[in-house]
Amino acid sequence: MAFDYKKEYKEFYLPPKKPVIINIPKMNYIAVRGKGDPNEEDGEYKRAMSLLYPIAYTLKMSPRSGKETEGYFEYVVPPLEGLWWQEGIEGFDLKRKNLFNWISLIRLPEFFSESDVDWAKEEVMRKKNLDASSLEFFTYDEGLCVQMMHIGPFDNEVESVKLMDDFINKEGFENDFSPLRLHHEIYLSDFRRTEESKLKTVIRHPIKKR
């Protein structure tokens, strides 16, 4: 049976619908960086999705291409994730989505290295004629965070963020945003096929002791 990161690491992917404090270990990802409104048709965000998934599945299916990776085991491709920020704005101004900066991510199993990602990029460029040069091997060491499950539209996330802020303040913590520690979302629903009111998104913020 294929290893499913969501099921095996529920503390990272299936938090309760209330804030909890958690320490997140260093993880490796494939990533694409970009700017702009994620809802824009034919925008950078949509193009990033069209690149991330071919690379993710090329790596997953690499044994069928004759590639041997030490320690490889069958696994389910982890969910899409995103790091988000707006320059010069504390929090988010959802009315100005064109100002978003983002890094879109899919987690890599521990046995894959940067050289494996380079191999997958070459395979995708050769077989699918896609320019994969913007995709990168990305390591993120999040550390201490607060997180919760948000149910509903993305534009309502401010309500969950308020719950998280109130919780950490009560517990003696504060947000610890920086260029290396960002607003983090994990998308557990397919937003193309799921009703907005039922969307499940993990929201995660970096924190430190106040």
Side-chain angles (χ1 to χ4, degrees), residues 58 61-68 119 123 126-127:
T58 295
M61 307 302 289
S62 58
R64 297 190 184 183
S65 299
K67 186 179 189 309
E68 296 183 2
W119 170 86
E123 286 287 288
R126 180 173 63 85
K127 292 182 177 179

Side-chain angles (χ1 to χ4, degrees), residues 146-181:
V146 59
Q147 67 176 15
M148 68 176 287
M149 183 72 75
H150 172 76
I151 308 294
F154 298 126
D155 284 354
N156 290 356
E157 285 186 7
V158 289
E159 299 169 7
S160 293
V161 169
K162 176 67 164 53
L163 290 175
M164 292 163 61
D165 287 345
D166 290 346
F167 173 76
I168 62 171
N169 182 60
K170 181 180 177 182
E171 296 296 317
F173 293 87
E174 62 185 7
N175 287 311
D176 188 28
F177 293 111
S178 74
L180 298 177
R181 307 192 76 204

Side-chain angles (χ1 to χ4, degrees), residues 12 16 75 98 121 156 159 170:
F12 301 147
Y75 66 96
N98 61 305
K121 289 168 65 173
N156 290 356
E159 299 169 7
K170 181 180 177 182

Side-chain angles (χ1 to χ4, degrees), residues 3-5 13 19 46 51 56-57 87 94 103 109 111 128 134 139 141 143 156 165 177 194 205:
F3 187 92
D4 190 333
Y5 283 84
Y13 298 101
K46 299 280 177 67
L51 183 58
Y57 281 95
E87 299 290 351
L94 292 172
I103 306 173
F111 47 76
K128 298 182 180 294
S134 62
T139 299
D141 191 0
N156 290 356
D165 287 345
F177 293 111
T194 307
H205 282 177

Side-chain angles (χ1 to χ4, degrees), residues 30 55 58-59 67 108 112-126 132-133 135-137:
I30 50 173
I55 297 292
T58 295
L59 287 165
K67 186 179 189 309
L108 288 173
F112 284 134
S113 66
E114 187 169 4
S115 63
D116 295 308
V117 173
D118 289 341
W119 170 86
K121 289 168 65 173
E122 291 177 3
E123 286 287 288
V124 164
M125 287 191 281
R126 180 173 63 85
S133 59
L135 185 136
E136 61 185 273
F137 179 87

Side-chain angles (χ1 to χ4, degrees), residues 41-56:
E41 287 297 328
D42 299 321
E44 285 189 38
Y45 190 78
K46 299 280 177 67
R47 288 196 291 272
M49 297 306 99
S50 69
L51 183 58
L52 275 174
Y53 282 103
I55 297 292

